[in-house]
Amino acid sequence: MPAPGPSDVRSLITKVMGASPADIRLMAQRLHDHAFEQRLSPEATKDFVSHLGYESLDAFCADIGLPPHIAERWSRFGVSGEMKQVFSLLVAQRRRMAEAIEEFEAMTHVGIDDFLRERGLI
């Protein structure tokens, strides 16, 4: 990735100068969150993605439409605290779905695949 050129810097300065004080405050908060807040380690990030059923960060990012450089960055630096919360929610949702399937199958004695297939849903 090439270093930003003078036109890129000029464009950034123009955007900042045209921003409202509230926008500048939000940009400063974002910079603070990413530069100073504790991040989830790369190993823990890979573990979360594994719990979501993916074999790699590359596969996860590709599946949800994120560009490859995001997987590379997460692999190197982990994810922000905000993304950790999102990953935690996704893992919890996946666990709750698995528990619901187990409960359904225990009550009906019918496999969920059979149940959905019987109703023409899959």
Side-chain angles (χ1 to χ4, degrees):
M1 182 175 195
S7 64
D8 296 328
V9 173
R10 197 172 309 118
S11 174
L12 176 64
I13 291 172
T14 301
K15 286 180 185 177
V16 170
M17 296 304 289
S20 72
D23 290 341
I24 293 171
R25 179 181 54 80
L26 292 173
M27 288 188 302
Q29 285 174 340
R30 180 147 173 88
L31 175 63
H32 178 271
D33 290 349
H34 282 276
F36 300 109
E37 291 294 318
Q38 177 138 5
R39 299 180 68 80
L40 186 65
S41 73
E43 294 75 25
T45 301
K46 291 172 189 171
D47 191 45
F48 265 109
V49 169
S50 172
H51 279 87
L52 292 173
Y54 292 91
E55 63 184 44
S56 69
L57 285 169
D58 292 320
F60 174 77
C61 288
D63 195 36
I64 64 171
L66 289 173
H69 75 272
I70 299 294
E72 182 179 1
R73 185 172 65 215
W74 287 355
S75 182
R76 170 77 194 250
F77 302 111
V79 296
S80 68
E82 294 166 344
M83 279 306 299
K84 176 186 176 188
Q85 289 180 279
V86 171
F87 282 171
S88 295
L89 172 70
L90 292 172
V91 168
Q93 290 289 82
R94 186 176 173 96
R95 187 188 71 251
R96 283 196 293 267
M97 177 60 88
E99 290 168 356
I101 288 170
E102 283 180 31
E103 183 179 340
F104 174 84
E105 289 178 346
M107 289 186 325
T108 63
H109 305 291
V110 174
I112 191 80
D113 289 344
D114 295 334
F115 175 79
L116 296 175
R117 202 171 276 111
E118 186 178 291
R119 281 159 181 71
L121 297 173
I122 59 172

